Amino acid sequence: LRQVFDSMVVKCGVYLFDEFDAIGSDRARPNEVGEIRRVLNSFLQFVEADDSDSLILAATNQVEVLDPALFRRFDDVIRYGLPTADAAEELIRNALNVFTTNGDDWAEVRRACDGLSYAEIARACTEAAKGAILTDRRDLSTHEIQAALQERQAIRQQ
C-alpha cells in the first residue's frame, strides 16, 4: 500500500482498488483477522495523508461488509443497482445492434434478466453473439438471447 500511495505523488493518475471488500471489510466483524485490520488501518491513514492530485477509486459488489470509516474518507459514494427490465432490454438491443433479432418473446428475455447485473447481461450478449458468429449468422432469436441469459443465471447461482 505504501508503494501505491507513494507513486500517487510521483505519477498523477486514477488509482482503482477493485474488489475492495478484500481489504476494506468492517473491522468489527468477528471473523476478521488482525492482519486485514492492520491493512485497512494503513489504508485509512494513507488516504487521510494523501495530498496528491491523483484520484482514488474503490469498487466492490459487497458494500454491506465495508467498514463505515471508509465512507467518510471518500468524497462520493456511487451505488449501482440492478437494471430495470426496460434498462436490461435497452442494453441487450444496443449490445446486439449489429444482429437482426428474430422472435417476439421479449417478455421472456426481460424475465431472464431478473437479478442479473449490467455486466452479467452484457456477458450473456457476448456469448449469444459468439454463437451467431461461429455459425456465420447475422441474426439471433430471442430464444437464443434468453438461453444465454439463463446460462448467466445458472453461473451466478453456483
Side-chain angles (χ1 to χ4, degrees), residues 91-109:
L91 171 61
I92 293 167
R93 289 185 185 272
N94 287 335
L96 299 175
N97 70 354
V98 297
F99 295 93
T100 303
T101 52
N102 301 322
D104 59 354
D105 208 0
W106 281 97
E108 286 299 317
V109 170

Side-chain angles (χ1 to χ4, degrees), residues 111-131:
R111 276 192 283 283
C113 293
D114 190 40
L116 293 176
S117 69
Y118 286 96
E120 291 167 320
I121 294 169
R123 179 70 185 264
C125 290
T126 299
E127 292 303 314
K130 283 180 190 176

Side-chain angles (χ1 to χ4, degrees), residues 9-38:
V9 175
V10 176
K11 186 72 173 170
C12 182
V14 177
Y15 291 82
L16 172 64
F17 292 88
D18 196 12
E19 302 292 340
F20 193 65
D21 49 282
I23 65 169
S25 59
D26 191 346
R27 294 168 289 182
R29 293 175 66 105
N31 58 344
E32 286 304 314
V33 295
E35 187 63 28
I36 292 301
R37 287 184 189 132
R38 286 188 289 279

